Amino acid sequence: MDTLAALGHGFLVALTPYNLLWSAIGVTVGTAVGVLPGIGPALTVALLLPVTYGLEPTSAFIMFAGIYYGAMYGGSTTSILLNAPGESGSIVTAIDGHAMARQGRGAQALATAAIGSFIAGTIATAALTFVAPLMVKMALLFGPAEYFALMVLALTTVTAVLGSSLARGLASLFLGLALGLVGIDMQTGQARLAFGVPELLDGIDTVVVAVGLFAVGETLYVASRHRFETEEIYALKGSKWMSREDWSRSWKPWLRGTLLGFPIGTLPAGGSEIPTFLSYLVEKRLAKKPEEFGKGAIEAVAGPEAANNASAAGVLAPLLSLGLPTSATAAIMLAAFQQYGLQPGPTLFDNNPELVWGMIASLYIGNVLLLVLNLPLVGFWVKLLLIPRPWLYAGILVFSSLGAYTLNNNVIDLVILWVIGLLGFGMRVLNVPVAPCVVGLILGPLAEQQFRRALAISQGDPSVFLTHPISAALLIIAALLVIGPMVLRFRSNGAGKGAGNGTGKGDSASPSGSHPAT
Protein backbone atom coordinates (compact mmCIF):
# COMPACT_ATOMS: atom_id res chain seq x y z
CA MET A 1 0.00 0.00 0.00
CA ASP A 2 2.91 2.35 0.79
CA THR A 3 4.31 1.64 -2.68
CA LEU A 4 0.99 2.49 -4.36
CA ALA A 5 0.70 5.69 -2.31
CA ALA A 6 4.24 6.67 -3.29
CA LEU A 7 3.49 5.90 -6.94
CA GLY A 8 0.32 8.02 -6.74
CA HIS A 9 2.38 10.92 -5.43
CA GLY A 10 4.84 10.28 -8.25
CA PHE A 11 2.04 10.67 -10.80
CA LEU A 12 1.12 14.02 -9.23
CA VAL A 13 4.74 15.09 -9.75
CA ALA A 14 5.06 13.69 -13.29
CA LEU A 15 1.72 15.07 -14.49
CA THR A 16 2.51 18.70 -13.68
CA PRO A 17 2.62 20.62 -16.98
CA TYR A 18 6.32 21.44 -16.53
CA ASN A 19 7.44 17.82 -15.95
CA LEU A 20 5.04 16.53 -18.59
CA LEU A 21 6.77 18.84 -21.07
CA TRP A 22 10.18 17.42 -20.19
CA SER A 23 8.85 13.88 -20.49
CA ALA A 24 7.51 14.68 -23.98
CA ILE A 25 10.85 16.27 -24.94
CA GLY A 26 12.73 13.22 -23.61
CA VAL A 27 10.69 10.60 -25.51
CA THR A 28 10.78 12.67 -28.70
CA VAL A 29 14.55 13.19 -28.55
CA GLY A 30 15.04 9.55 -27.53
CA THR A 31 13.01 8.27 -30.47
CA ALA A 32 14.91 10.51 -32.88
CA VAL A 33 18.20 9.30 -31.42
CA GLY A 34 17.16 5.66 -31.61
CA VAL A 35 16.31 6.10 -35.30
CA LEU A 36 19.74 7.49 -36.18
CA PRO A 37 22.27 4.68 -36.80
CA GLY A 38 25.19 4.64 -34.35
CA ILE A 39 23.79 7.30 -32.00
CA GLY A 40 22.56 5.44 -28.90
CA PRO A 41 20.91 6.53 -25.63
CA ALA A 42 24.20 6.62 -23.70
CA LEU A 43 25.67 9.15 -26.15
CA THR A 44 22.54 11.32 -26.00
CA VAL A 45 22.26 11.40 -22.21
CA ALA A 46 26.00 12.21 -22.01
CA LEU A 47 25.55 14.98 -24.58
CA LEU A 48 22.70 16.55 -22.61
CA LEU A 49 24.37 16.38 -19.19
CA PRO A 50 25.99 19.85 -19.45
CA VAL A 51 22.78 21.37 -20.88
CA THR A 52 20.64 20.16 -17.98
CA TYR A 53 23.10 21.41 -15.34
CA GLY A 54 20.77 24.24 -14.33
CA LEU A 55 17.61 22.14 -14.58
CA GLU A 56 15.73 20.94 -11.50
CA PRO A 57 16.84 17.31 -10.81
CA THR A 58 13.36 15.73 -10.99
CA SER A 59 12.66 17.28 -14.39
CA ALA A 60 16.13 16.30 -15.65
CA PHE A 61 15.73 12.64 -14.71
CA ILE A 62 12.20 12.49 -16.11
CA MET A 63 13.71 13.67 -19.39
CA PHE A 64 16.63 11.20 -19.18
CA ALA A 65 14.20 8.33 -18.53
CA GLY A 66 12.18 9.42 -21.57
CA ILE A 67 15.33 9.47 -23.70
CA TYR A 68 16.24 5.97 -22.52
CA TYR A 69 12.81 4.49 -23.28
CA GLY A 70 12.49 6.47 -26.52
CA ALA A 71 15.83 5.23 -27.84
CA MET A 72 14.75 1.65 -27.17
CA TYR A 73 11.60 2.29 -29.23
CA GLY A 74 13.30 4.20 -32.05
CA GLY A 75 16.07 1.66 -32.58
CA SER A 76 13.59 -0.68 -34.27
CA THR A 77 12.87 1.82 -37.10
CA THR A 78 16.39 1.95 -38.50
CA SER A 79 16.88 -1.80 -37.89
CA ILE A 80 13.78 -2.69 -39.90
CA LEU A 81 13.98 -0.16 -42.74
CA LEU A 82 17.74 0.24 -43.10
CA ASN A 83 19.22 -2.93 -41.54
CA ALA A 84 21.41 -0.65 -39.40
CA PRO A 85 20.59 -1.01 -35.67
CA GLY A 86 20.54 2.34 -33.84
CA GLU A 87 21.68 0.64 -30.61
CA SER A 88 22.82 -2.81 -29.55
CA GLY A 89 19.42 -3.98 -28.28
CA SER A 90 18.01 -3.74 -31.83
CA ILE A 91 20.56 -6.00 -33.52
CA VAL A 92 18.31 -9.07 -33.37
CA THR A 93 15.31 -7.09 -34.63
CA ALA A 94 17.19 -6.32 -37.84
CA ILE A 95 17.40 -10.01 -38.83
CA ASP A 96 13.73 -10.61 -39.58
CA GLY A 97 12.50 -7.02 -39.42
CA HIS A 98 14.55 -6.01 -42.45
CA ALA A 99 13.47 -9.17 -44.27
CA MET A 100 9.84 -8.11 -43.68
CA ALA A 101 10.65 -4.64 -45.05
CA ARG A 102 12.10 -6.17 -48.23
CA GLN A 103 8.84 -8.08 -48.64
CA GLY A 104 6.82 -4.85 -48.37
CA ARG A 105 5.71 -5.61 -44.78
CA GLY A 106 7.86 -3.00 -43.03
CA ALA A 107 4.77 -1.23 -41.61
CA GLN A 108 3.59 -4.44 -39.92
CA ALA A 109 7.09 -5.02 -38.49
CA LEU A 110 7.17 -1.47 -37.09
CA ALA A 111 3.66 -1.88 -35.66
CA THR A 112 4.44 -5.11 -33.80
CA ALA A 113 7.67 -3.53 -32.50
CA ALA A 114 5.86 -0.42 -31.24
CA ILE A 115 2.91 -2.23 -29.65
CA GLY A 116 5.18 -4.90 -28.15
CA SER A 117 7.44 -2.19 -26.75
CA PHE A 118 4.42 -0.46 -25.18
CA ILE A 119 3.09 -3.65 -23.57
CA ALA A 120 6.51 -4.80 -22.37
CA GLY A 121 7.48 -1.35 -21.13
CA THR A 122 4.27 -0.97 -19.14
CA ILE A 123 4.46 -4.42 -17.53
CA ALA A 124 8.17 -4.02 -16.77
CA THR A 125 7.61 -0.56 -15.26
CA ALA A 126 4.94 -2.07 -12.99
CA ALA A 127 7.50 -4.70 -11.95
CA LEU A 128 10.07 -1.95 -11.33
CA THR A 129 7.54 -0.17 -9.10
CA PHE A 130 7.42 -3.11 -6.68
CA VAL A 131 10.92 -4.61 -7.09
CA ALA A 132 12.91 -1.41 -6.42
CA PRO A 133 11.49 -0.88 -2.88
CA LEU A 134 12.30 -4.52 -2.03
CA MET A 135 15.90 -3.95 -3.13
CA VAL A 136 15.99 -0.81 -0.96
CA LYS A 137 14.92 -2.82 2.11
CA MET A 138 17.75 -5.23 1.41
CA ALA A 139 20.22 -2.35 1.02
CA LEU A 140 19.25 -0.98 4.46
CA LEU A 141 21.13 -3.95 5.95
CA PHE A 142 24.39 -2.63 4.48
CA GLY A 143 27.20 -1.04 6.48
CA PRO A 144 30.52 0.41 5.19
CA ALA A 145 31.99 -3.08 4.56
CA GLU A 146 28.90 -4.18 2.62
CA TYR A 147 28.83 -0.97 0.58
CA PHE A 148 32.49 -1.37 -0.32
CA ALA A 149 31.84 -4.97 -1.42
CA LEU A 150 28.79 -3.84 -3.44
CA MET A 151 30.87 -1.21 -5.23
CA VAL A 152 33.58 -3.78 -5.96
CA LEU A 153 30.83 -5.97 -7.44
CA ALA A 154 29.56 -3.06 -9.53
CA LEU A 155 33.06 -2.31 -10.80
CA THR A 156 33.81 -5.94 -11.69
CA THR A 157 30.44 -6.68 -13.30
CA VAL A 158 30.61 -3.69 -15.62
CA THR A 159 34.22 -4.57 -16.40
CA ALA A 160 33.56 -8.26 -17.05
CA VAL A 161 30.28 -7.86 -18.94
CA LEU A 162 30.67 -4.73 -21.11
CA GLY A 163 33.33 -5.86 -23.54
CA SER A 164 34.74 -8.94 -25.22
CA SER A 165 38.00 -9.02 -23.24
CA LEU A 166 38.47 -8.97 -19.46
CA ALA A 167 41.96 -7.48 -19.84
CA ARG A 168 40.62 -4.56 -21.91
CA GLY A 169 37.77 -4.05 -19.44
CA LEU A 170 40.23 -3.92 -16.52
CA ALA A 171 42.42 -1.43 -18.41
CA SER A 172 39.39 0.84 -18.87
CA LEU A 173 38.41 0.42 -15.21
CA PHE A 174 41.89 1.29 -13.89
CA LEU A 175 41.95 4.38 -16.12
CA GLY A 176 38.68 5.50 -14.52
CA LEU A 177 39.99 4.76 -11.01
CA ALA A 178 43.11 6.81 -11.76
CA LEU A 179 41.02 9.75 -13.00
CA GLY A 180 38.95 9.51 -9.80
CA LEU A 181 42.10 9.99 -7.70
CA VAL A 182 42.83 13.40 -9.24
CA GLY A 183 42.28 16.28 -6.79
CA ILE A 184 42.53 16.78 -3.04
CA ASP A 185 42.24 13.77 -0.73
CA MET A 186 39.27 14.60 1.50
CA GLN A 187 40.80 12.92 4.57
CA THR A 188 44.43 14.04 4.42
CA GLY A 189 44.07 17.28 2.43
CA GLN A 190 46.94 16.25 0.16
CA ALA A 191 46.82 16.96 -3.61
CA ARG A 192 46.89 13.84 -5.77
CA LEU A 193 47.79 13.66 -9.49
CA ALA A 194 47.10 17.39 -9.96
CA PHE A 195 50.56 18.04 -11.52
CA GLY A 196 50.57 21.63 -10.25
CA VAL A 197 47.44 22.62 -12.22
CA PRO A 198 45.12 24.56 -9.84
CA GLU A 199 42.02 23.69 -11.87
CA LEU A 200 42.63 19.98 -11.16
CA LEU A 201 42.57 20.37 -7.37
CA ASP A 202 38.78 19.98 -7.38
CA GLY A 203 39.11 16.80 -9.44
CA ILE A 204 38.11 16.03 -13.02
CA ASP A 205 34.45 16.73 -13.68
CA THR A 206 32.52 13.49 -14.23
CA VAL A 207 30.35 15.16 -16.86
CA VAL A 208 33.38 16.21 -18.91
CA VAL A 209 34.71 12.63 -18.90
CA ALA A 210 31.30 11.18 -19.79
CA VAL A 211 30.80 13.61 -22.67
CA GLY A 212 34.36 13.08 -23.86
CA LEU A 213 34.15 9.28 -23.92
CA PHE A 214 30.59 8.81 -25.11
CA ALA A 215 29.91 11.87 -27.26
CA VAL A 216 33.28 12.99 -28.68
CA GLY A 217 35.04 9.60 -28.78
CA GLU A 218 32.00 7.67 -30.04
CA THR A 219 31.20 10.28 -32.71
CA LEU A 220 34.78 10.31 -34.00
CA TYR A 221 34.71 6.51 -34.15
CA VAL A 222 31.35 6.29 -35.96
CA ALA A 223 32.39 9.05 -38.40
CA SER A 224 35.68 7.31 -39.17
CA ARG A 225 33.86 4.04 -39.91
CA HIS A 226 30.97 5.50 -41.90
CA ARG A 227 30.83 4.84 -45.61
CA PHE A 228 29.47 7.97 -47.22
CA GLU A 229 27.31 6.11 -49.70
CA THR A 230 23.63 6.35 -50.54
CA GLU A 231 21.77 3.98 -48.20
CA GLU A 232 18.72 2.12 -49.44
CA ILE A 233 15.70 2.85 -47.26
CA TYR A 234 12.74 0.56 -47.86
CA ALA A 235 9.51 2.51 -48.26
CA LEU A 236 6.37 1.56 -46.32
CA LYS A 237 3.88 -0.06 -48.68
CA GLY A 238 0.26 -1.18 -48.43
CA SER A 239 -1.73 -1.30 -45.20
CA LYS A 240 -0.01 0.01 -42.08
CA TRP A 241 -2.18 -2.11 -39.77
CA MET A 242 -1.47 -5.59 -38.47
CA SER A 243 -3.75 -8.35 -39.72
CA ARG A 244 -5.58 -10.76 -37.42
CA GLU A 245 -2.89 -13.37 -38.10
CA ASP A 246 -0.16 -10.86 -37.20
CA TRP A 247 -1.90 -10.17 -33.87
CA SER A 248 -2.30 -13.88 -33.10
CA ARG A 249 1.38 -14.52 -33.87
CA SER A 250 2.61 -11.51 -31.86
CA TRP A 251 0.84 -11.37 -28.50
CA LYS A 252 2.49 -14.43 -26.95
CA PRO A 253 6.03 -13.32 -28.01
CA TRP A 254 5.29 -9.89 -26.47
CA LEU A 255 4.55 -11.50 -23.09
CA ARG A 256 7.41 -14.01 -23.28
CA GLY A 257 9.85 -11.25 -24.25
CA THR A 258 8.72 -9.22 -21.24
CA LEU A 259 9.23 -12.17 -18.89
CA LEU A 260 12.77 -12.62 -20.25
CA GLY A 261 13.76 -8.96 -20.49
CA PHE A 262 12.94 -7.55 -17.05
CA PRO A 263 14.64 -10.09 -14.76
CA ILE A 264 17.74 -10.32 -16.96
CA GLY A 265 17.92 -6.49 -17.05
CA THR A 266 18.08 -6.38 -13.24
CA LEU A 267 21.09 -8.72 -13.15
CA PRO A 268 24.66 -7.36 -13.13
CA ALA A 269 25.29 -9.35 -16.33
CA GLY A 270 22.01 -8.15 -17.86
CA GLY A 271 21.60 -5.35 -20.39
CA SER A 272 19.51 -5.64 -23.54
CA GLU A 273 21.62 -7.87 -25.77
CA ILE A 274 21.24 -11.14 -23.82
CA PRO A 275 17.42 -11.11 -23.43
CA THR A 276 16.86 -10.14 -27.09
CA PHE A 277 18.97 -13.06 -28.34
CA LEU A 278 17.31 -15.43 -25.85
CA SER A 279 13.87 -14.23 -26.97
CA TYR A 280 14.77 -14.90 -30.60
CA LEU A 281 15.89 -18.45 -29.78
CA VAL A 282 12.80 -19.13 -27.64
CA GLU A 283 10.42 -17.90 -30.34
CA LYS A 284 12.18 -19.94 -33.02
CA ARG A 285 11.87 -23.08 -30.88
CA LEU A 286 8.17 -22.48 -30.12
CA ALA A 287 7.13 -21.23 -33.58
CA LYS A 288 4.70 -23.17 -35.75
CA LYS A 289 6.67 -22.05 -38.81
CA PRO A 290 10.36 -22.02 -37.71
CA GLU A 291 11.46 -22.13 -41.36
CA GLU A 292 10.33 -18.48 -41.69
CA PHE A 293 12.91 -17.28 -39.15
CA GLY A 294 15.58 -15.27 -40.92
CA LYS A 295 13.18 -14.70 -43.82
CA GLY A 296 10.63 -12.38 -42.19
CA ALA A 297 8.92 -14.06 -39.21
CA ILE A 298 6.88 -11.50 -37.26
CA GLU A 299 7.48 -13.39 -33.98
CA ALA A 300 11.21 -12.70 -34.40
CA VAL A 301 10.45 -8.98 -34.27
CA ALA A 302 7.75 -9.02 -31.58
CA GLY A 303 9.64 -11.04 -28.96
CA PRO A 304 13.08 -9.37 -29.08
CA GLU A 305 11.59 -5.86 -29.16
CA ALA A 306 9.50 -6.65 -26.08
CA ALA A 307 12.58 -8.09 -24.33
CA ASN A 308 14.58 -5.02 -25.34
CA ASN A 309 12.17 -2.56 -23.71
CA ALA A 310 11.49 -4.71 -20.65
CA SER A 311 15.23 -4.89 -19.96
CA ALA A 312 15.38 -1.06 -19.93
CA ALA A 313 13.08 -1.00 -16.89
CA GLY A 314 15.03 -3.86 -15.35
CA VAL A 315 18.29 -1.90 -15.61
CA LEU A 316 16.75 0.97 -13.61
CA ALA A 317 15.90 -1.27 -10.61
CA PRO A 318 19.47 -1.92 -9.37
CA LEU A 319 20.54 1.58 -10.46
CA LEU A 320 17.95 3.39 -8.34
CA SER A 321 17.93 1.07 -5.33
CA LEU A 322 21.60 0.03 -5.08
CA GLY A 323 23.53 2.45 -7.30
CA LEU A 324 24.55 -0.56 -9.43
CA PRO A 325 24.86 0.20 -13.18
CA THR A 326 24.36 -2.80 -15.48
CA SER A 327 24.61 -1.04 -18.88
CA ALA A 328 26.44 1.85 -20.54
CA THR A 329 23.35 4.08 -20.33
CA ALA A 330 22.97 3.25 -16.63
CA ALA A 331 26.62 4.29 -16.12
CA ILE A 332 25.90 7.66 -17.73
CA MET A 333 22.76 8.12 -15.61
CA LEU A 334 24.92 7.37 -12.57
CA ALA A 335 27.14 10.24 -13.73
CA ALA A 336 24.00 12.40 -13.96
CA PHE A 337 23.18 11.64 -10.33
CA GLN A 338 26.75 12.59 -9.46
CA GLN A 339 26.27 15.88 -11.29
CA TYR A 340 23.43 16.77 -8.91
CA GLY A 341 25.29 15.55 -5.83
CA LEU A 342 22.97 12.53 -5.42
CA GLN A 343 23.87 8.92 -4.72
CA PRO A 344 21.37 6.23 -5.81
CA GLY A 345 20.38 3.85 -3.03
CA PRO A 346 18.16 3.75 0.06
CA THR A 347 18.93 7.36 0.96
CA LEU A 348 17.67 8.47 -2.46
CA PHE A 349 14.26 6.91 -1.77
CA ASP A 350 14.15 8.57 1.68
CA ASN A 351 15.57 12.00 0.84
CA ASN A 352 14.32 12.45 -2.74
CA PRO A 353 11.03 10.52 -3.05
CA GLU A 354 9.64 13.06 -5.51
CA LEU A 355 12.55 12.44 -7.87
CA VAL A 356 12.43 8.62 -7.66
CA TRP A 357 8.67 8.15 -7.84
CA GLY A 358 8.17 11.02 -10.28
CA MET A 359 10.69 9.35 -12.57
CA ILE A 360 9.03 5.91 -12.24
CA ALA A 361 5.57 7.42 -12.86
CA SER A 362 6.94 9.26 -15.92
CA LEU A 363 7.86 5.87 -17.42
CA TYR A 364 4.16 4.91 -17.53
CA ILE A 365 3.35 8.25 -19.14
CA GLY A 366 6.30 8.00 -21.52
CA ASN A 367 5.13 4.61 -22.77
CA VAL A 368 1.78 6.08 -23.80
CA LEU A 369 3.47 9.07 -25.44
CA LEU A 370 5.83 6.76 -27.33
CA LEU A 371 3.00 4.65 -28.70
CA VAL A 372 1.33 7.84 -29.97
CA LEU A 373 4.62 9.06 -31.46
CA ASN A 374 5.69 5.82 -33.11
CA LEU A 375 2.58 4.44 -34.80
CA PRO A 376 1.15 7.49 -36.66
CA LEU A 377 4.42 9.39 -37.16
CA VAL A 378 6.65 6.61 -38.47
CA GLY A 379 6.96 8.39 -41.83
CA PHE A 380 8.41 11.43 -40.08
CA TRP A 381 11.04 9.37 -38.22
CA VAL A 382 12.10 7.73 -41.47
CA LYS A 383 12.91 11.19 -42.89
CA LEU A 384 15.53 11.63 -40.13
CA LEU A 385 17.57 8.96 -41.90
CA LEU A 386 18.06 11.45 -44.73
CA ILE A 387 20.10 13.89 -42.56
CA PRO A 388 23.64 14.10 -44.05
CA ARG A 389 25.99 12.28 -41.70
CA PRO A 390 28.74 14.98 -41.76
CA TRP A 391 26.22 17.55 -40.50
CA LEU A 392 25.10 15.22 -37.74
CA TYR A 393 28.59 14.34 -36.51
CA ALA A 394 29.87 17.93 -36.70
CA GLY A 395 26.83 19.15 -34.78
CA ILE A 396 27.43 16.65 -31.97
CA LEU A 397 31.11 17.65 -31.63
CA VAL A 398 30.32 21.38 -31.54
CA PHE A 399 27.47 20.84 -29.06
CA SER A 400 29.75 18.72 -26.85
CA SER A 401 32.46 21.39 -26.77
CA LEU A 402 30.03 24.20 -25.95
CA GLY A 403 28.41 22.12 -23.21
CA ALA A 404 31.71 21.20 -21.55
CA TYR A 405 32.96 24.80 -21.63
CA THR A 406 29.79 26.27 -20.14
CA LEU A 407 29.94 23.96 -17.10
CA ASN A 408 32.60 26.11 -15.40
CA ASN A 409 33.57 28.56 -18.21
CA ASN A 410 36.98 26.95 -18.01
CA VAL A 411 39.33 26.29 -20.95
CA ILE A 412 40.98 23.46 -18.99
CA ASP A 413 37.68 21.55 -19.12
CA LEU A 414 37.69 21.94 -22.90
CA VAL A 415 41.25 20.58 -23.11
CA ILE A 416 40.34 17.64 -20.86
CA LEU A 417 37.23 16.99 -22.98
CA TRP A 418 39.21 16.60 -26.19
CA VAL A 419 42.06 14.63 -24.58
CA ILE A 420 39.49 12.24 -23.10
CA GLY A 421 37.58 12.24 -26.41
CA LEU A 422 40.66 11.24 -28.42
CA LEU A 423 41.45 8.65 -25.76
CA GLY A 424 37.88 7.36 -26.09
CA PHE A 425 38.30 7.16 -29.87
CA GLY A 426 41.46 5.10 -29.40
CA MET A 427 39.66 2.84 -26.92
CA ARG A 428 36.86 2.20 -29.43
CA VAL A 429 39.40 1.42 -32.18
CA LEU A 430 41.14 -1.07 -29.87
CA ASN A 431 37.76 -2.50 -28.76
CA VAL A 432 38.25 -1.33 -25.16
CA PRO A 433 34.85 -0.72 -23.45
CA VAL A 434 34.39 2.86 -22.22
CA ALA A 435 31.64 2.26 -19.62
CA PRO A 436 34.04 0.77 -17.00
CA CYS A 437 36.07 3.99 -17.15
CA VAL A 438 33.05 6.14 -16.24
CA VAL A 439 31.93 3.73 -13.51
CA GLY A 440 35.48 3.64 -12.09
CA LEU A 441 35.63 7.45 -12.03
CA ILE A 442 32.30 7.68 -10.14
CA LEU A 443 32.43 4.67 -7.82
CA GLY A 444 36.20 4.64 -7.19
CA PRO A 445 36.24 7.57 -4.71
CA LEU A 446 33.06 6.26 -3.04
CA ALA A 447 34.55 2.77 -2.68
CA GLU A 448 37.72 4.28 -1.20
CA GLN A 449 35.65 6.25 1.31
CA GLN A 450 33.66 3.17 2.41
CA PHE A 451 36.87 1.10 2.58
CA ARG A 452 38.46 3.61 4.94
CA ARG A 453 35.31 3.81 7.07
CA ALA A 454 35.11 0.02 7.40
CA LEU A 455 38.78 -0.16 8.48
CA ALA A 456 38.30 2.70 10.95
CA ILE A 457 35.31 0.95 12.57
CA SER A 458 37.20 -2.38 12.76
CA GLN A 459 40.34 -0.62 14.08
CA GLY A 460 42.38 -1.57 11.04
CA ASP A 461 41.31 -5.23 10.84
CA PRO A 462 40.89 -6.12 7.11
CA SER A 463 39.05 -9.34 7.97
CA VAL A 464 35.91 -7.22 8.49
CA PHE A 465 35.20 -7.61 4.76
CA LEU A 466 35.10 -11.42 5.08
CA THR A 467 33.50 -11.83 8.52
CA HIS A 468 30.35 -9.95 7.48
CA PRO A 469 28.22 -12.48 5.50
CA ILE A 470 26.76 -10.01 2.96
CA SER A 471 30.15 -8.43 2.28
CA ALA A 472 31.83 -11.82 1.90
CA ALA A 473 29.11 -13.08 -0.45
CA LEU A 474 29.36 -9.99 -2.68
CA LEU A 475 33.16 -10.21 -2.84
CA ILE A 476 32.98 -13.93 -3.73
CA ILE A 477 30.53 -13.16 -6.56
CA ALA A 478 32.84 -10.39 -7.80
CA ALA A 479 35.82 -12.77 -7.73
CA LEU A 480 33.87 -15.43 -9.65
CA LEU A 481 32.94 -12.89 -12.32
CA VAL A 482 36.61 -12.14 -12.87
CA ILE A 483 38.05 -15.65 -12.47
CA GLY A 484 35.17 -17.63 -14.04
CA PRO A 485 35.59 -16.39 -17.65
CA MET A 486 39.37 -16.91 -17.40
CA VAL A 487 38.91 -20.53 -16.28
CA LEU A 488 36.31 -21.23 -18.98
CA ARG A 489 38.54 -19.67 -21.65
CA PHE A 490 41.53 -21.71 -20.44
CA ARG A 491 39.50 -24.94 -20.53
CA SER A 492 38.10 -24.21 -24.00
CA ASN A 493 41.59 -23.39 -25.31
CA GLY A 494 42.88 -26.65 -23.82
CA ALA A 495 40.09 -28.60 -25.48
CA GLY A 496 40.77 -26.81 -28.77
CA LYS A 497 44.48 -27.68 -28.64
CA GLY A 498 43.62 -31.30 -27.91
CA ALA A 499 41.31 -31.43 -30.91
CA GLY A 500 43.92 -29.67 -33.03
CA ASN A 501 46.60 -32.21 -32.06
CA GLY A 502 44.29 -35.07 -33.01
CA THR A 503 43.55 -33.51 -36.37
CA GLY A 504 47.23 -32.88 -36.99
CA LYS A 505 48.05 -36.56 -36.47
CA GLY A 506 45.35 -37.63 -38.87
CA ASP A 507 46.58 -35.18 -41.50
CA SER A 508 50.17 -36.30 -41.18
CA ALA A 509 49.15 -39.87 -41.90
CA SER A 510 47.82 -38.81 -45.28
CA PRO A 511 50.31 -36.69 -47.27
CA SER A 512 47.68 -35.49 -49.65
CA GLY A 513 45.51 -34.24 -46.78
CA SER A 514 42.61 -36.45 -47.86
CA HIS A 515 40.83 -38.89 -45.56
CA PRO A 516 39.92 -42.47 -46.38
CA ALA A 517 36.34 -43.08 -47.30
CA THR A 518 34.10 -44.60 -44.65
Side-chain angles (χ1 to χ4, degrees):
M1 189 59 69
D2 291 341
T3 300
L4 293 176
L7 180 62
H9 180 65
F11 271 106
L12 292 177
V13 173
L15 286 171
T16 59
Y18 185 70
N19 287 333
L20 201 56
L21 173 65
W22 286 111
S23 179
I25 291 172
V27 296
T28 305
V29 171
T31 303
V33 163
V35 167
L36 295 171
I39 314 295
L43 189 156
T44 311
V45 175
L47 194 62
L48 292 176
L49 283 179
V51 181
T52 58
Y53 189 74
L55 198 62
E56 198 267 328
T58 302
S59 302
F61 281 97
I62 284 175
M63 184 182 69
F64 289 148
I67 290 171
Y68 190 19
Y69 264 32
M72 293 299 183
Y73 265 72
S76 61
T77 302
T78 183
S79 297
I80 291 167
L81 299 182
L82 200 61
N83 199 25
E87 43 87 31
S88 58
S90 298
I91 293 172
V92 179
T93 305
I95 300 172
D96 283 75
H98 190 62
M100 289 181 69
R102 291 199 304 269
Q103 297 165 10
R105 302 190 68 234
Q108 286 74 23
L110 290 170
T112 193
I115 297 170
S117 297
F118 169 75
I119 292 172
T122 302
I123 295 173
T125 304
L128 169 67
T129 303
F130 294 96
V131 168
L134 293 177
M135 287 186 170
V136 167
K137 289 180 180 179
M138 181 182 70
L140 291 173
L141 303 173
F142 286 20
E146 287 79 10
Y147 269 114
F148 171 74
L150 179 66
M151 289 175 188
V152 170
L153 177 62
L155 293 169
T156 52
T157 50
V158 173
T159 301
V161 172
L162 298 180
S164 57
S165 166
L166 179 62
R168 294 188 183 102
L170 287 172
S172 177
L173 173 65
F174 287 134
L175 173 62
L177 292 173
L179 292 174
L181 292 174
V182 175
I184 295 176
D185 183 354
M186 299 304 293
Q187 291 196 358
T188 65
Q190 296 293 316
R192 302 188 296 190
L193 301 177
F195 304 107
V197 180
E199 288 83 359
L200 293 180
L201 293 176
D202 289 332
I204 296 177
D205 198 310
T206 307
V207 176
V208 173
V209 175
V211 175
L213 288 175
F214 281 90
V216 176
E218 188 73 17
T219 302
L220 291 174
Y221 177 79
V222 173
S224 68
R225 292 294 187 273
H226 182 71
R227 296 178 180 177
F228 295 96
E229 301 170 353
T230 303
E231 296 167 322
E232 185 177 1
I233 303 171
Y234 285 85
L236 302 178
K237 302 174 183 177
S239 172
K240 295 185 180 181
W241 298 103
M242 294 169 62
S243 66
R244 181 172 295 182
E245 183 187 359
D246 291 336
W247 279 93
S248 66
R249 293 177 61 178
S250 295
W251 71 271
K252 289 182 181 177
W254 291 335
L255 297 179
R256 285 192 288 260
T258 305
L259 292 176
L260 282 171
F262 180 79
I264 294 176
T266 62
L267 298 175
S272 59
E273 296 87 351
I274 296 173
T276 52
F277 276 99
L278 281 178
S279 175
Y280 185 89
L281 295 174
V282 168
E283 296 310 323
K284 187 174 183 179
R285 184 174 291 266
L286 298 176
K288 294 180 180 178
K289 301 177 181 177
E291 67 278 1
E292 290 186 7
F293 276 66
K295 302 175 184 177
I298 196 168
E299 299 95 330
V301 178
E305 273 302 302
N308 182 22
N309 283 268
S311 70
V315 163
L316 293 176
L319 175 66
L320 292 175
S321 56
L322 301 174
L324 188 70
T326 59
S327 71
T329 308
I332 296 299
M333 291 186 75
L334 189 61
F337 279 109
Q338 186 92 350
Q339 172 179 284
Y340 286 101
L342 301 171
Q343 177 59 36
T347 56
L348 187 69
F349 279 74
D350 291 336
N351 301 333
N352 302 88
E354 287 193 355
L355 187 154
V356 175
W357 291 106
M359 179 179 170
I360 292 174
S362 75
L363 296 176
Y364 290 96
I365 299 166
N367 263 312
V368 176
L369 293 174
L370 283 164
L371 191 65
V372 173
L373 280 172
N374 277 267
L375 281 180
L377 300 179
V378 66
F380 170 76
W381 302 121
V382 173
K383 292 185 185 300
L384 290 178
L385 297 172
L386 302 176
I387 295 176
R389 295 292 180 267
W391 295 9
L392 180 65
Y393 300 144
I396 291 174
L397 294 178
V398 171
F399 199 70
S400 302
S401 301
L402 289 174
Y405 179 76
T406 53
L407 279 174
N408 303 302
N409 294 326
N410 190 344
V411 177
I412 296 294
D413 283 344
L414 205 55
V415 174
I416 294 173
L417 172 78
W418 277 93
V419 169
I420 295 291
L422 292 173
L423 186 62
F425 171 68
M427 291 168 71
R428 290 288 282 114
V429 170
L430 298 174
N431 200 24
V432 176
V434 294
C437 181
V438 176
V439 175
L441 172 64
I442 299 168
L443 293 186
L446 296 174
E448 179 190 14
Q449 186 181 20
Q450 298 294 345
F451 179 78
R452 286 177 165 180
R453 278 184 188 170
L455 287 180
I457 292 171
S458 66
Q459 298 181 344
D461 182 9
S463 67
V464 66
F465 300 107
L466 299 176
T467 54
H468 290 205
I470 296 176
S471 172
L474 292 173
L475 289 175
I476 289 170
I477 294 171
L480 289 174
L481 282 170
V482 174
I483 298 170
M486 296 171 63
V487 173
L488 290 173
R489 194 175 297 114
F490 178 78
R491 291 183 63 182
S492 64
N493 287 342
K497 287 179 181 178
N501 291 337
T503 304
K505 290 177 182 178
D507 288 343
S508 62
S510 176
S512 63
S514 60
H515 298 278
T518 56

